[in-house]
Amino acid sequence: MKLITVALVYLLLAGMWTRDVDSRSMHVSSSNCCYQFADKRIALKTIQCYKNTSSTCPYDAFILKLKKGRESCVLKTVRWVQDNFSKMKPCLPKTV
Ligand SMILES: *[C@@H]1O[C@H](CO)[C@@H](O)[C@H](O)[C@H]1NC(C)=O
Ligand SMILES: *[C@@H]1O[C@H](CO)[C@@H](O)[C@H](O)[C@H]1NC(C)=O
């Protein structure tokens, strides 16, 4: 009897924990979707590489990895991004 109670409590806590982690990661751009976009051009030399957002995202965008570990999002449809896309490098899966 006691063991079952302990197991139930443990499961409950585990469930709360994973839900907490999920809800927090939604606010981070590393969830692979973008909801806010840079309104200015980003100098190409500060862009280290780009990542595609996942196809399930509401916006079709790139995540740009910048120097100093920052990240920024740009829409794929933006002119300067399209014009300069060939100069950007994809992020290697390992560094993502
Ligand atoms: C991107 O391409 C456009 C058009 O070729 C150019 O005017 C612009 O300076 C380039 N660089 C950036 C960072 O937008
Ligand atoms: C990312 O998006 C670009 C432009 O839409 C496309 O050319 C490229 O194949 C995509 N890469 C991946 C890994 O989906």
Side-chain angles (χ1 to χ4, degrees):
M1 254 334 203
K2 238 183 186 173
L3 221 104
I4 286 170
T5 312
V6 169
L8 280 177
V9 167
Y10 179 78
L11 279 177
L12 210 75
L13 286 175
M16 274 159 59
W17 172 249
T18 45
R19 235 178 300 135
D20 187 43
V21 167
D22 280 352
S23 61
R24 256 190 294 145
S25 63
M26 287 188 49
H27 305 294
V28 187
S29 66
S30 61
S31 66
N32 276 325
C33 282
C34 290
Y35 302 97
Q36 289 183 340
F37 304 97
D39 47 3
K40 284 191 217 149
R41 286 180 181 191
I42 297 161
L44 287 176
K45 62 179 188 324
T46 67
I47 300 172
Q48 298 203 305
C49 58
Y50 72 84
K51 286 189 284 186
N52 291 7
T53 55
S54 113
S55 52
T56 56
C57 293
Y59 300 100
D60 212 8
F62 291 123
I63 300 169
L64 300 180
K65 278 214 171 263
L66 308 179
K67 298 237 165 96
K68 295 177 190 164
R70 288 185 301 146
E71 287 187 341
S72 195
C73 288
V74 291
L75 288 167
K76 284 183 186 176
T77 49
V78 169
R79 179 70 198 274
W80 74 263
V81 175
Q82 292 188 334
D83 285 350
N84 299 292
F85 178 68
S86 59
K87 292 168 200 152
M88 300 181 196
K89 289 178 292 187
C91 295
L92 297 171
K94 258 187 238 163
T95 63
V96 170

